[in-house]
Amino acid sequence: MAKLEALIFDVDGTLADTEAYHLKAFNETFFAHGMDWKWSHEDYLKLLKVTGGKERMAHFARDWRNENPDDYDIVSLHKEKTERYVAMLNDGKVSLRPGVERLFRETLDAGLKLGIATTTSTPNVTALIGHTLGQGVLDDLAVIAAGDCVARKKPAPDIYQYALNAMNLPADACIAFEDSAMGVRSSVGAGIRTLVTVNPFTEGQTFDGADVVLSTLGSPETPARHIAGRKVNYPMVTLEWLRETH
Ligand code: XBP
Ligand code: MG
């Protein structure tokens, strides 16, 4: 293993519990357009298997309604959905998951690189990080690999490979942080050691190839619960532990 030089984070479900807000933004957009599309929580759990909002809508039209996705203006519907979602973030409705801010600051203070690899759209990433951690942290990120940066979204490894190329680092100098089976297939497919923190949308999924699966990154107040894989020095994941075990 090369020396640890960077941590790469997924966004939705890993940095924050955002999917309920994405779902709300999708449904509000459908309603505003007089469409008879309404996704329930249970529908959305299934629809999350298709990553990317535009791809998810096209899949729904095609596979759930037996319609031609080209009959819908998916690009502009998705643009409007993004505006609604960003407005929710701008209202300060979403906070980071336990341990995320601590590990971000430890990593930057230690001079390691921090990157983002996500299927969500760039404005969603900048709004979330800008509103929770501030513009300074946003400016310090080594790469924001997001949305349409690559043609093939997760579970393809492309978005992680894009982030590695942008940072000019080999896979074994990095650790990825994911919350979903699709995300783990992408990061492990790119050859990156992966740590999983689950959430209500992803617990129960299988994370083949992940190094460790936990409830959260943990904090002194809310310790991480071990679910599978390598044991962590409780109560939380620290940069020191990540370095020691790399
Ligand atoms: C999760 C996703 C995204 C969001 C919606 O991304 O699959 O598609 O649900 O975002 P990740 P967009 O876990 O990789 O952050 O509508 O902007 O695609
Ligand atoms: Mg995710």
Side-chain angles (χ1 to χ4, degrees), residues 47-75:
L47 289 164
L48 278 172
K49 290 194 185 91
V50 177
T51 60
K54 294 191 286 289
E55 293 80 356
R56 192 169 298 145
M57 284 191 270
H59 163 79
F60 182 72
R62 195 187 312 107
D63 289 21
W64 288 45
R65 293 179 61 96
N66 208 16
E67 291 173 345
N68 184 350
D70 295 341
D71 292 345
Y72 295 92
D73 188 352
I74 285 183
V75 170

mmCIF file of all heavy atoms in Angstrom, residues 47-75:
data_model
loop_
_atom_site.group_PDB
_atom_site.id
_atom_site.type_symbol
_atom_site.label_atom_id
_atom_site.label_comp_id
_atom_site.label_asym_id
_atom_site.label_seq_id
_atom_site.Cartn_x
_atom_site.Cartn_y
_atom_site.Cartn_z
ATOM 1 N N LEU A 47 -35.906 2.866 -6.709
ATOM 2 C CA LEU A 47 -35.403 3.752 -7.775
ATOM 3 C C LEU A 47 -33.955 4.186 -7.541
ATOM 4 O O LEU A 47 -33.244 4.522 -8.490
ATOM 5 C CB LEU A 47 -36.307 4.993 -7.885
ATOM 6 C CG LEU A 47 -37.687 4.712 -8.479
ATOM 7 C CD1 LEU A 47 -38.641 5.872 -8.200
ATOM 8 C CD2 LEU A 47 -37.579 4.460 -9.977
ATOM 9 N N LEU A 48 -33.512 4.154 -6.285
ATOM 10 C CA LEU A 48 -32.129 4.549 -5.991
ATOM 11 C C LEU A 48 -31.105 3.625 -6.628
ATOM 12 O O LEU A 48 -29.928 3.988 -6.736
ATOM 13 C CB LEU A 48 -31.898 4.599 -4.474
ATOM 14 C CG LEU A 48 -32.361 5.865 -3.762
ATOM 15 C CD1 LEU A 48 -32.258 5.693 -2.251
ATOM 16 C CD2 LEU A 48 -31.535 7.066 -4.195
ATOM 17 N N LYS A 49 -31.565 2.457 -7.085
ATOM 18 C CA LYS A 49 -30.625 1.547 -7.761
ATOM 19 C C LYS A 49 -30.142 2.170 -9.064
ATOM 20 O O LYS A 49 -29.102 1.780 -9.592
ATOM 21 C CB LYS A 49 -31.301 0.203 -8.044
ATOM 22 C CG LYS A 49 -31.546 -0.568 -6.772
ATOM 23 C CD LYS A 49 -31.896 -2.028 -7.027
ATOM 24 C CE LYS A 49 -32.244 -2.737 -5.739
ATOM 25 N NZ LYS A 49 -33.681 -2.705 -5.411
ATOM 26 N N VAL A 50 -30.918 3.094 -9.593
ATOM 27 C CA VAL A 50 -30.453 3.850 -10.773
ATOM 28 C C VAL A 50 -29.898 5.171 -10.267
ATOM 29 O O VAL A 50 -30.627 5.980 -9.699
ATOM 30 C CB VAL A 50 -31.607 4.087 -11.766
ATOM 31 C CG1 VAL A 50 -31.139 4.934 -12.937
ATOM 32 C CG2 VAL A 50 -32.155 2.764 -12.248
ATOM 33 N N THR A 51 -28.605 5.370 -10.427
ATOM 34 C CA THR A 51 -27.971 6.578 -9.896
ATOM 35 C C THR A 51 -28.093 7.716 -10.906
ATOM 36 O O THR A 51 -28.120 7.493 -12.113
ATOM 37 C CB THR A 51 -26.483 6.323 -9.566
ATOM 38 O OG1 THR A 51 -25.835 5.924 -10.770
ATOM 39 C CG2 THR A 51 -26.312 5.242 -8.521
ATOM 40 N N GLY A 52 -28.151 8.935 -10.372
ATOM 41 C CA GLY A 52 -28.307 10.120 -11.222
ATOM 42 C C GLY A 52 -29.775 10.437 -11.414
ATOM 43 O O GLY A 52 -30.566 9.547 -11.787
ATOM 44 N N GLY A 53 -30.142 11.669 -11.141
ATOM 45 C CA GLY A 53 -31.552 12.060 -11.203
ATOM 46 C C GLY A 53 -32.158 11.958 -12.596
ATOM 47 O O GLY A 53 -33.297 11.494 -12.751
ATOM 48 N N LYS A 54 -31.415 12.371 -13.607
ATOM 49 C CA LYS A 54 -31.949 12.305 -14.985
ATOM 50 C C LYS A 54 -32.144 10.849 -15.398
ATOM 51 O O LYS A 54 -33.166 10.480 -15.977
ATOM 52 C CB LYS A 54 -30.985 13.009 -15.968
ATOM 53 C CG LYS A 54 -30.872 14.505 -15.750
ATOM 54 C CD LYS A 54 -30.131 15.192 -16.886
ATOM 55 C CE LYS A 54 -28.637 14.947 -16.878
ATOM 56 N NZ LYS A 54 -27.917 15.617 -15.789
ATOM 57 N N GLU A 55 -31.147 10.035 -15.075
ATOM 58 C CA GLU A 55 -31.204 8.613 -15.411
ATOM 59 C C GLU A 55 -32.358 7.936 -14.667
ATOM 60 O O GLU A 55 -33.030 7.054 -15.195
ATOM 61 C CB GLU A 55 -29.869 7.940 -15.041
ATOM 62 C CG GLU A 55 -28.682 8.380 -15.869
ATOM 63 C CD GLU A 55 -28.068 9.711 -15.449
ATOM 64 O OE1 GLU A 55 -28.600 10.378 -14.530
ATOM 65 O OE2 GLU A 55 -27.057 10.099 -16.055
ATOM 66 N N ARG A 56 -32.586 8.365 -13.403
ATOM 67 C CA ARG A 56 -33.658 7.780 -12.579
ATOM 68 C C ARG A 56 -35.022 8.103 -13.189
ATOM 69 O O ARG A 56 -35.902 7.246 -13.246
ATOM 70 C CB ARG A 56 -33.538 8.334 -11.152
ATOM 71 C CG ARG A 56 -34.374 7.633 -10.124
ATOM 72 C CD ARG A 56 -33.974 8.084 -8.727
ATOM 73 N NE ARG A 56 -32.590 7.732 -8.442
ATOM 74 C CZ ARG A 56 -31.751 8.470 -7.713
ATOM 75 N NH1 ARG A 56 -32.148 9.605 -7.169
ATOM 76 N NH2 ARG A 56 -30.524 8.072 -7.517
ATOM 77 N N MET A 57 -35.201 9.330 -13.650
ATOM 78 C CA MET A 57 -36.482 9.710 -14.268
ATOM 79 C C MET A 57 -36.704 8.944 -15.575
ATOM 80 O O MET A 57 -37.817 8.474 -15.852
ATOM 81 C CB MET A 57 -36.515 11.222 -14.525
ATOM 82 C CG MET A 57 -36.741 12.023 -13.261
ATOM 83 S SD MET A 57 -37.098 13.761 -13.637
ATOM 84 C CE MET A 57 -35.484 14.427 -13.641
ATOM 85 N N ALA A 58 -35.658 8.832 -16.381
ATOM 86 C CA ALA A 58 -35.777 8.106 -17.659
ATOM 87 C C ALA A 58 -36.121 6.640 -17.401
ATOM 88 O O ALA A 58 -36.972 6.049 -18.073
ATOM 89 C CB ALA A 58 -34.479 8.222 -18.456
ATOM 90 N N HIS A 59 -35.487 6.060 -16.397
ATOM 91 C CA HIS A 59 -35.749 4.663 -16.015
ATOM 92 C C HIS A 59 -37.201 4.510 -15.575
ATOM 93 O O HIS A 59 -37.879 3.551 -15.961
ATOM 94 C CB HIS A 59 -34.792 4.275 -14.884
ATOM 95 C CG HIS A 59 -35.179 3.048 -14.129
ATOM 96 N ND1 HIS A 59 -34.949 1.784 -14.598
ATOM 97 C CD2 HIS A 59 -35.805 2.903 -12.926
ATOM 98 C CE1 HIS A 59 -35.409 0.902 -13.714
ATOM 99 N NE2 HIS A 59 -35.933 1.557 -12.703
ATOM 100 N N PHE A 60 -37.696 5.465 -14.793
ATOM 101 C CA PHE A 60 -39.087 5.393 -14.302
ATOM 102 C C PHE A 60 -40.073 5.433 -15.475
ATOM 103 O O PHE A 60 -41.019 4.643 -15.533
ATOM 104 C CB PHE A 60 -39.349 6.554 -13.329
ATOM 105 C CG PHE A 60 -40.719 6.544 -12.732
ATOM 106 C CD1 PHE A 60 -41.070 5.601 -11.771
ATOM 107 C CD2 PHE A 60 -41.675 7.469 -13.127
ATOM 108 C CE1 PHE A 60 -42.347 5.580 -11.213
ATOM 109 C CE2 PHE A 60 -42.950 7.459 -12.575
ATOM 110 C CZ PHE A 60 -43.285 6.518 -11.613
ATOM 111 N N ALA A 61 -39.832 6.350 -16.406
ATOM 112 C CA ALA A 61 -40.723 6.460 -17.575
ATOM 113 C C ALA A 61 -40.722 5.145 -18.361
ATOM 114 O O ALA A 61 -41.772 4.605 -18.706
ATOM 115 C CB ALA A 61 -40.279 7.616 -18.466
ATOM 116 N N ARG A 62 -39.519 4.641 -18.588
ATOM 117 C CA ARG A 62 -39.361 3.462 -19.446
ATOM 118 C C ARG A 62 -39.841 2.185 -18.760
ATOM 119 O O ARG A 62 -40.680 1.456 -19.292
ATOM 120 C CB ARG A 62 -37.879 3.334 -19.838
ATOM 121 C CG ARG A 62 -37.600 2.396 -21.006
ATOM 122 C CD ARG A 62 -36.100 2.185 -21.229
ATOM 123 N NE ARG A 62 -35.315 3.396 -21.253
ATOM 124 C CZ ARG A 62 -34.481 3.808 -20.282
ATOM 125 N NH1 ARG A 62 -34.330 3.089 -19.190
ATOM 126 N NH2 ARG A 62 -33.799 4.925 -20.392
ATOM 127 N N ASP A 63 -39.311 1.925 -17.553
ATOM 128 C CA ASP A 63 -39.493 0.605 -16.934
ATOM 129 C C ASP A 63 -40.706 0.524 -16.003
ATOM 130 O O ASP A 63 -41.215 -0.562 -15.766
ATOM 131 C CB ASP A 63 -38.232 0.203 -16.157
ATOM 132 C CG ASP A 63 -37.077 -0.121 -17.096
ATOM 133 O OD1 ASP A 63 -37.106 0.330 -18.243
ATOM 134 O OD2 ASP A 63 -36.154 -0.827 -16.660
ATOM 135 N N TRP A 64 -41.139 1.648 -15.461
ATOM 136 C CA TRP A 64 -42.271 1.592 -14.526
ATOM 137 C C TRP A 64 -43.578 1.987 -15.231
ATOM 138 O O TRP A 64 -44.646 1.636 -14.791
ATOM 139 C CB TRP A 64 -42.053 2.519 -13.320
ATOM 140 C CG TRP A 64 -41.021 2.072 -12.341
ATOM 141 C CD1 TRP A 64 -39.771 1.590 -12.619
ATOM 142 C CD2 TRP A 64 -41.124 2.066 -10.910
ATOM 143 N NE1 TRP A 64 -39.093 1.308 -11.461
ATOM 144 C CE2 TRP A 64 -39.901 1.591 -10.395
ATOM 145 C CE3 TRP A 64 -42.128 2.433 -10.014
ATOM 146 C CZ2 TRP A 64 -39.651 1.461 -9.037
ATOM 147 C CZ3 TRP A 64 -41.877 2.320 -8.655
ATOM 148 C CH2 TRP A 64 -40.652 1.824 -8.168
ATOM 149 N N ARG A 65 -43.455 2.830 -16.292
ATOM 150 C CA ARG A 65 -44.675 3.325 -16.942
ATOM 151 C C ARG A 65 -44.802 2.867 -18.392
ATOM 152 O O ARG A 65 -45.766 3.197 -19.057
ATOM 153 C CB ARG A 65 -44.680 4.859 -16.889
ATOM 154 C CG ARG A 65 -44.810 5.399 -15.474
ATOM 155 C CD ARG A 65 -44.774 6.905 -15.468
ATOM 156 N NE ARG A 65 -45.853 7.497 -16.214
ATOM 157 C CZ ARG A 65 -47.003 7.936 -15.691
ATOM 158 N NH1 ARG A 65 -47.197 7.867 -14.402
ATOM 159 N NH2 ARG A 65 -47.940 8.456 -16.448
ATOM 160 N N ASN A 66 -43.747 2.199 -18.865
ATOM 161 C CA ASN A 66 -43.778 1.710 -20.237
ATOM 162 C C ASN A 66 -43.983 2.855 -21.236
ATOM 163 O O ASN A 66 -44.753 2.752 -22.184
ATOM 164 C CB ASN A 66 -44.891 0.657 -20.372
ATOM 165 C CG ASN A 66 -44.576 -0.338 -21.457
ATOM 166 O OD1 ASN A 66 -43.424 -0.418 -21.888
ATOM 167 N ND2 ASN A 66 -45.575 -1.066 -21.925
ATOM 168 N N GLU A 67 -43.285 3.966 -20.970
ATOM 169 C CA GLU A 67 -43.389 5.150 -21.831
ATOM 170 C C GLU A 67 -42.020 5.467 -22.422
ATOM 171 O O GLU A 67 -40.987 4.976 -21.945
ATOM 172 C CB GLU A 67 -43.878 6.354 -21.024
ATOM 173 C CG GLU A 67 -45.320 6.228 -20.572
ATOM 174 C CD GLU A 67 -45.756 7.353 -19.636
ATOM 175 O OE1 GLU A 67 -44.900 8.080 -19.112
ATOM 176 O OE2 GLU A 67 -46.965 7.478 -19.418
ATOM 177 N N ASN A 68 -42.024 6.324 -23.418
ATOM 178 C CA ASN A 68 -40.757 6.746 -24.022
ATOM 179 C C ASN A 68 -40.211 7.951 -23.237
ATOM 180 O O ASN A 68 -40.863 8.997 -23.198
ATOM 181 C CB ASN A 68 -41.012 7.134 -25.486
ATOM 182 C CG ASN A 68 -39.722 7.482 -26.208
ATOM 183 O OD1 ASN A 68 -38.669 7.604 -25.571
ATOM 184 N ND2 ASN A 68 -39.814 7.639 -27.519
ATOM 185 N N PRO A 69 -39.025 7.824 -22.622
ATOM 186 C CA PRO A 69 -38.460 8.943 -21.854
ATOM 187 C C PRO A 69 -38.317 10.213 -22.689
ATOM 188 O O PRO A 69 -38.382 11.324 -22.152
ATOM 189 C CB PRO A 69 -37.086 8.425 -21.410
ATOM 190 C CG PRO A 69 -37.128 6.966 -21.568
ATOM 191 C CD PRO A 69 -38.147 6.633 -22.600
ATOM 192 N N ASP A 70 -38.155 10.048 -23.997
ATOM 193 C CA ASP A 70 -37.992 11.220 -24.867
ATOM 194 C C ASP A 70 -39.273 12.056 -24.954
ATOM 195 O O ASP A 70 -39.241 13.189 -25.437
ATOM 196 C CB ASP A 70 -37.560 10.791 -26.277
ATOM 197 C CG ASP A 70 -36.176 10.158 -26.262
ATOM 198 O OD1 ASP A 70 -35.432 10.378 -25.284
ATOM 199 O OD2 ASP A 70 -35.840 9.428 -27.219
ATOM 200 N N ASP A 71 -40.383 11.498 -24.491
ATOM 201 C CA ASP A 71 -41.627 12.278 -24.477
ATOM 202 C C ASP A 71 -41.637 13.309 -23.345
ATOM 203 O O ASP A 71 -42.547 14.129 -23.262
ATOM 204 C CB ASP A 71 -42.844 11.355 -24.316
ATOM 205 C CG ASP A 71 -43.057 10.489 -25.555
ATOM 206 O OD1 ASP A 71 -42.457 10.816 -26.597
ATOM 207 O OD2 ASP A 71 -43.784 9.475 -25.459
ATOM 208 N N TYR A 72 -40.630 13.215 -22.467
ATOM 209 C CA TYR A 72 -40.521 14.168 -21.352
ATOM 210 C C TYR A 72 -39.269 15.018 -21.541
ATOM 211 O O TYR A 72 -38.265 14.522 -22.054
ATOM 212 C CB TYR A 72 -40.391 13.422 -20.012
ATOM 213 C CG TYR A 72 -41.619 12.623 -19.650
ATOM 214 C CD1 TYR A 72 -41.721 11.280 -20.018
ATOM 215 C CD2 TYR A 72 -42.664 13.211 -18.955
ATOM 216 C CE1 TYR A 72 -42.853 10.540 -19.687
ATOM 217 C CE2 TYR A 72 -43.798 12.474 -18.626
ATOM 218 C CZ TYR A 72 -43.886 11.143 -18.993
ATOM 219 O OH TYR A 72 -44.984 10.420 -18.672
ATOM 220 N N ASP A 73 -39.345 16.275 -21.093
ATOM 221 C CA ASP A 73 -38.144 17.122 -21.134
ATOM 222 C C ASP A 73 -37.370 16.902 -19.831
ATOM 223 O O ASP A 73 -37.438 17.706 -18.892
ATOM 224 C CB ASP A 73 -38.538 18.596 -21.311
ATOM 225 C CG ASP A 73 -37.306 19.471 -21.552
ATOM 226 O OD1 ASP A 73 -36.180 18.947 -21.416
ATOM 227 O OD2 ASP A 73 -37.482 20.647 -21.873
ATOM 228 N N ILE A 74 -36.665 15.772 -19.806
ATOM 229 C CA ILE A 74 -36.017 15.343 -18.564
ATOM 230 C C ILE A 74 -34.927 16.323 -18.129
ATOM 231 O O ILE A 74 -34.773 16.590 -16.939
ATOM 232 C CB ILE A 74 -35.491 13.890 -18.728
ATOM 233 C CG1 ILE A 74 -36.707 12.960 -18.661
ATOM 234 C CG2 ILE A 74 -34.457 13.534 -17.660
ATOM 235 C CD1 ILE A 74 -36.448 11.503 -18.719
ATOM 236 N N VAL A 75 -34.226 16.896 -19.087
ATOM 237 C CA VAL A 75 -33.144 17.821 -18.718
ATOM 238 C C VAL A 75 -33.713 19.028 -17.965
ATOM 239 O O VAL A 75 -33.198 19.426 -16.908
ATOM 240 C CB VAL A 75 -32.338 18.248 -19.961
ATOM 241 C CG1 VAL A 75 -31.372 19.376 -19.635
ATOM 242 C CG2 VAL A 75 -31.562 17.043 -20.505
#
